[in-house]
Amino acid sequence: MEQLTKEQFIKAFKAQLHTDYLVDNNEATAEEHFRTLGKLIKQYVMSDWLRRRDEIVKEQKKTAYYFSIEFLPGKMLQTNLLNLGIYDLVSEALADINVDLAVLVEAERDMALGNGGLGRLASCFMDSLPTIGAPGFGNGIRYKYGLFKQRIVNGYQVELPDAWLPSEGSVWETKKPHSAVDVKIYGSVYLAPQEDGALKPIYENVKTLHAVPYDVIQIGFNNGVVNNLRLWDVELPEKYELDYQTLADRRRVEDITSFLYPDDSSRDGQAMRLIQEYFMVSAGLQTIVASYAKMHLPMAKIHEKVAVHINDTHPAMAVPELMRILMDDYGVKWDDAWATTCKVMSYTNHTVLSEALEKWDTGLFKEIVPRIHQIVGEIDRKFVKEWVGKVDTGIIDRTRIVQNNQIHMANLAIIGGHSVNGVAKLHTELLIEDVLKEFYVLFPEKFNNKTNGIAQRRWSQIANPGMSTLLDDLIGKGWRSNIHELSKLEEVLTRSDVQTSFYQVKQANKQKLADYVKKTLDIDLPIDAIFDVQVKRLHAYKRQLLNVMHIIKLYQDLKADPGLEMTPRVFIFGAKAAPGYHFAKSVIKIINELANLINYDTSLNDKLKVVFLENYNVSLAELIVPAADVSEQISTAGKEASGTSNMKFMMNGALTLATLDGANIEIKDAVGEDNIVIFGMDKDAVYAHYDKHDYNSRAIYDSDPTIKRVVDAFIDGTIPNTHYEGHEIWDALISYNDEYFLLEDFTDYAEKQAYISALYQDKPSWQAKVIKNIANSGRFSSDDTIEGYAKDIWGII
Ligand code: Z16
């Protein structure tokens, strides 16, 4: 790539604006400026992109394909500028011609083709793969509507469509019509015996879809590597237009890529979702096998050049689809196809919640993907045959793919691959000991752990420029390319000038967030208060309600004694609820009404504030995370597979208040137990309740007056306008025995919160802990995580 000068850039920028929009620089809108800059960036990396592609083809490098139904990149302008090493140059050049880069950054739409942690992790990996120079590409769906936009109306969540895609398309993508492939669904298949004894599938009445790829550039950090995220869109195939005669027929096809399903942890088997999954898997794999075929190597050895990763169960049809392509399109025999398929495929499990492990009704499956249904039946039959007599039949009954007319996608991904990984140490242990223990009996060698990580450049350099400048001054700039150099902070963490500097950066970030809150909600936040943050999807197991119970307690304490000495607190929430998740929506309503009650009660003297920020997304996270003093990671132990916001907060100098769950445990190991605040039951204590069936929330409620007072606040009229929701919550906690053990953990939680309040008064201690956290956050870099995948699972580096 050529070295760019400011003058060249300005000239190119003005010329491009003129060509595309026929405007001069000073008349252009922010949107036009943004698109022009995006286009220039794409042109700037084009030679690297093409070179990279040729290199991989010429050198026949083994390549990994990360199949994921979700990607959640957020905005990409700043990351791209930073990774290209032209951030300052462009920012200064634009300033010279009176254009503010910050305004352009605002103009970019958030690309939210994901629900939460899983999609965001996929995007962190898309940043890290080119950064470590690994040939790894994404494969997903180009949804026209991303995750819904959340508005709060009268305290309730309202969902609006997220029309993120401009009519001209995203600036970061390139449409590749010549790489389109056909995907067949519905119809029926029978196997016609051939002269040589082989069986040839004959399709009847199928619907053919045209899959068109859009390639999104993924730029490595400072290394000239550009990879590719391939997102598939559906179009009507001209050749088969007679199959789609009515407008309704056409619309049904267009609907396939029209929106992302908004549930993060449960699925109720909609046909359209199954079609989305097959569409993406089939289009991706057809292309991959076709490019392998161009190498003229034996088809039965495709695993030597190709790795396919199944991110959660959603792309698990990759296993039978690769079998289909190898056998039906390339004439490979079953045994050879199976052997290579198992070596190509690997699977990450992201949850222990059984409702999130997909199961498809066999009837629906057979109707939509008849050939895949046949192949899955055969894989299942052969699996049973292989293990009969070797292990207990109960094990086979519970690990086979087809059970009670349902197809178990996790079982398919495990049986049809060579690797199964969890996303944090505890999570992988739970898979082995509990959730997947019978698979561990059959295939112990497949199991491994890959603790999640985060794209540290986005979550430090981009989201927190104030802290970044401070770090440059204290430890030099080396940390910007080698995040492990953050550990140099260990030497200065007790220096009072250093502590003051970190404090000042934090206060400035809090002010920025307070300004946003003032502008959007017209609430004044005192920045000398502790900013206590819980941002993540709304789910019962994540226990936003435990946080709420503690706020109620503080409110009651203050009402009882207005003179009470208390470190002021601002509780900040951000959370989307799945549209059909009734309980979660009730919690949102409760938080908003509680916020109204507290924020306008002058008798509390600004000691307590509660804000619910609507439409939590990646961009908002970039504003919130650097402003947090306390990071709430309070899931019931054993339930949160990993969590990743916990890592982002730590890197930005928040103290973690946590249960021993997911990656919280590894954060504790990294910083030491004095530098994190742990409370509540651990996983063994939780499991002991499961085993003994001895949990009794009503007994706790009856015997603990504080808890009783807090829980009763949901139904005694304390919180206005929540008659219905309050009873729903009270019932969940008491009548239905508090599935997530909030009552048992409450007392310890409240005590640790009190400890945090006291600690915050002791600035030197607090700041030393803050700096200790930043110093040890390097180990949660997704560059390192992906290196583990690339070496141990995919064998590509
Ligand atoms: C998701 O975001 C996660 C799991 C899952 O099965 C489905 C979705 Cl959409 C999350 C986990 O809940 C979280 O603990 C983890 O950190 C994240 O995936 C990335 O692994």
Side-chain angles (χ1 to χ4, degrees), residues 446-638:
K446 293 189 186 184
F447 284 77
N448 63 96
N449 176 247
K450 294 285 169 287
T451 298
N452 285 166
I454 57 173
Q456 74 271 16
R457 291 164 291 278
R458 176 181 292 262
W459 299 104
S460 55
Q461 298 184 53
I462 291 173
N464 202 340
M467 183 180 79
S468 302
T469 313
L470 175 58
L471 289 170
D472 290 346
D473 292 346
L474 291 171
I475 57 172
K477 290 190 173 196
W479 71 276
R480 288 180 182 259
S481 39
N482 176 9
I483 197 73
H484 298 287
E485 289 193 13
L486 287 178
S487 63
K488 291 183 180 171
L489 286 173
E490 290 275 2
E491 284 146 42
V492 296
L493 53 83
T494 52
R495 253 171 59 188
S496 77
D497 59 324
V498 172
Q499 295 186 347
T500 307
S501 302
F502 275 99
Y503 177 75
Q504 284 164 347
V505 166
K506 180 64 77 182
Q507 293 307 100
N509 292 337
K510 285 161 78 174
Q511 187 59 55
K512 227 175 113 191
L513 178 60
D515 293 344
Y516 176 83
V517 170
K518 178 72 186 166
K519 195 178 83 197
T520 53
L521 291 168
D522 197 24
I523 298 171
D524 291 296
L525 299 185
I527 65 159
D528 59 334
I530 297 175
F531 275 28
D532 181 317
V533 181
Q534 188 173 19
V535 284
K536 49 186 79 255
R537 286 299 287 256
L538 203 313
H539 202 291
Y541 84 79
K542 295 178 189 279
R543 301 201 294 190
Q544 280 93 353
L545 199 53
L546 179 60
N547 191 343
V548 168
M549 285 172 61
H550 172 246
I551 298 171
I552 292 173
K553 175 179 183 295
L554 293 182
Y555 172 75
Q556 290 172 335
D557 291 348
L558 277 172
K559 289 308 266 185
D561 175 9
L564 191 70
E565 283 287 332
M566 194 187 111
T567 312
R569 283 263 190 159
V570 173
F571 291 94
I572 296 164
F573 292 89
K576 288 181 182 175
Y581 190 174
H582 196 270
F583 176 83
K585 291 179 135 178
S586 293
V587 174
I588 290 179
K589 171 71 170 167
I590 291 272
I591 295 173
N592 282 305
E593 292 295 341
L594 185 63
N596 268 338
L597 173 72
I598 289 175
N599 296 338
Y600 301 105
D601 186 333
T602 48
S603 77
L604 303 176
N605 293 321
D606 274 0
K607 284 184 215 161
L608 207 52
K609 293 279 170 190
V610 181
V611 275
F612 185 97
L613 293 173
E614 68 182 359
N615 204 36
Y616 178 62
N617 61 10
V618 175
S619 299
L620 195 50
E622 288 171 24
L623 178 66
I624 295 171
V625 172
D629 293 308
V630 174
S631 155
E632 299 260 1
Q633 308 298 340
I634 61 178
S635 50
T636 310

Side-chain angles (χ1 to χ4, degrees), residues 70 116-118 121 264 312 350-351 423 452 541 640-644:
E70 305 191 4
L118 169 136
L121 182 75
D264 58 332
D312 233 27
H350 291 265
T351 184
V423 291
N452 285 166
Y541 84 79
E640 188 71 273
S642 163
T644 42

Side-chain angles (χ1 to χ4, degrees), residues 70 114-122 263-267 311-314 348-353 356-357 423 452 537 541-542 639-647 662:
E70 305 191 4
N115 273 287
L118 169 136
R120 183 53 229 169
L121 182 75
D263 307 79
D264 58 332
S265 58
S266 70
R267 291 263 121 68
N311 191 33
D312 233 27
T313 51
H314 325 127
T348 298
N349 173 291
H350 291 265
T351 184
V352 300
L353 304 183
L357 297 178
V423 291
N452 285 166
R537 286 299 287 256
Y541 84 79
K542 295 178 189 279
K639 292 291 181 197
E640 188 71 273
S642 163
T644 42
S645 74
N646 44 5
M647 304 166 184

Side-chain angles (χ1 to χ4, degrees), residues 276-320:
Q276 286 186 340
E277 293 179 357
Y278 183 64
F279 176 74
M280 158 194 128
V281 159
S282 179
L285 281 174
Q286 287 185 57
T287 316
I288 291 164
V289 178
S291 63
Y292 174 74
K294 286 198 195 129
M295 296 185 197
H296 302 292
L297 297 168
M299 271 298 154
K301 294 199 165 188
I302 188 168
H303 59 274
E304 291 180 0
K305 297 295 172 193
V306 171
V308 171
H309 200 74
I310 299 172
N311 191 33
D312 233 27
T313 51
H314 325 127
M317 271 182 282
V319 171

Side-chain angles (χ1 to χ4, degrees), residues 186-466:
Y186 290 109
S188 57
V189 191
Y190 66 92
L191 299 173
Q194 304 292 290
E195 278 171 15
D196 63 354
L199 295 171
K200 189 181 170 204
I202 308 290
Y203 291 78
E204 279 174 350
N205 301 319
V206 297
K207 295 264 182 224
T208 304
L209 308 168
H210 203 53
V212 183
Y214 288 72
D215 287 353
V216 181
I217 47 172
Q218 303 290 324
I219 301 171
F221 178 67
N222 261 341
N223 64 358
V225 174
V226 182
N227 283 359
N228 202 4
L229 164 59
R230 176 159 283 195
L231 299 178
W232 294 95
D233 192 11
V234 71
E235 286 183 12
L236 282 167
E238 235 171 275
K239 222 167 78 192
Y240 301 97
E241 65 181 354
L242 281 175
D243 291 352
Y244 306 99
Q245 296 183 4
T246 68
L247 266 182
D249 284 345
R250 287 168 174 256
R251 224 166 267 149
R252 256 197 299 280
V253 171
E254 284 158 10
D255 272 352
I256 292 172
T257 56
S258 78
F259 80 101
L260 163 77
Y261 278 92
D263 307 79
D264 58 332
S265 58
S266 70
R267 291 263 121 68
D268 36 305
Q270 304 91 336
M272 192 59 98
R273 172 73 173 200
L274 182 62
I275 295 172
Q276 286 186 340
E277 293 179 357
Y278 183 64
F279 176 74
M280 158 194 128
V281 159
S282 179
L285 281 174
Q286 287 185 57
T287 316
I288 291 164
V289 178
S291 63
Y292 174 74
K294 286 198 195 129
M295 296 185 197
H296 302 292
L297 297 168
M299 271 298 154
K301 294 199 165 188
I302 188 168
H303 59 274
E304 291 180 0
K305 297 295 172 193
V306 171
V308 171
H309 200 74
I310 299 172
N311 191 33
D312 233 27
T313 51
H314 325 127
M317 271 182 282
V319 171
E321 176 65 2
L322 181 57
M323 290 294 288
R324 183 192 71 76
I325 296 170
L326 292 175
M327 295 189 301
D328 297 357
D329 298 350
Y330 292 89
V332 182
K333 295 272 175 297
W334 180 284
D335 288 345
D336 288 343
W338 181 247
T340 193
T341 295
C342 291
K343 289 179 201 151
V344 166
M345 299 292 162
S346 50
Y347 159 64
T348 298
N349 173 291
H350 291 265
T351 184
V352 300
L353 304 183
S354 59
E355 64 268 30
L357 297 178
E358 287 176 301
K359 296 164 200 71
W360 291 105
D361 183 76
T362 36
L364 184 75
F365 203 84
K366 185 173 179 186
E367 185 190 339
I368 293 175
V369 283
R371 179 70 181 126
I372 296 304
H373 175 257
Q374 285 175 346
I375 294 171
V376 168
E378 188 60 16
I379 295 173
D380 185 53
R381 205 182 58 78
K382 287 192 146 76
F383 169 76
V384 173
K385 201 171 139 212
E386 187 189 336
W387 287 100
V388 154
K390 294 189 189 140
V391 291
D392 186 60
T393 53
I395 295 191
I396 300 174
D397 290 344
R398 288 182 298 268
T399 52
R400 63 184 296 180
I401 300 161
V402 187
Q403 298 173 31
N404 302 319
N405 284 317
Q406 286 195 311
I407 301 185
H408 289 237
M409 302 306 274
N411 303 14
L412 177 60
I414 298 167
I415 292 167
H418 67 280
S419 170
V420 183
N421 74 281
V423 291
K425 279 182 193 156
L426 176 72
H427 172 58
T428 300
E429 267 168 48
L430 283 169
L431 294 180
I432 289 174
E433 286 166 13
D434 179 28
V435 186
L436 302 176
K437 62 172 184 281
E438 296 187 313
F439 285 104
Y440 188 70
V441 172
L442 306 181
F443 312 114
E445 73 289 351
K446 293 189 186 184
F447 284 77
N448 63 96
N449 176 247
K450 294 285 169 287
T451 298
N452 285 166
I454 57 173
Q456 74 271 16
R457 291 164 291 278
R458 176 181 292 262
W459 299 104
S460 55
Q461 298 184 53
I462 291 173
N464 202 340

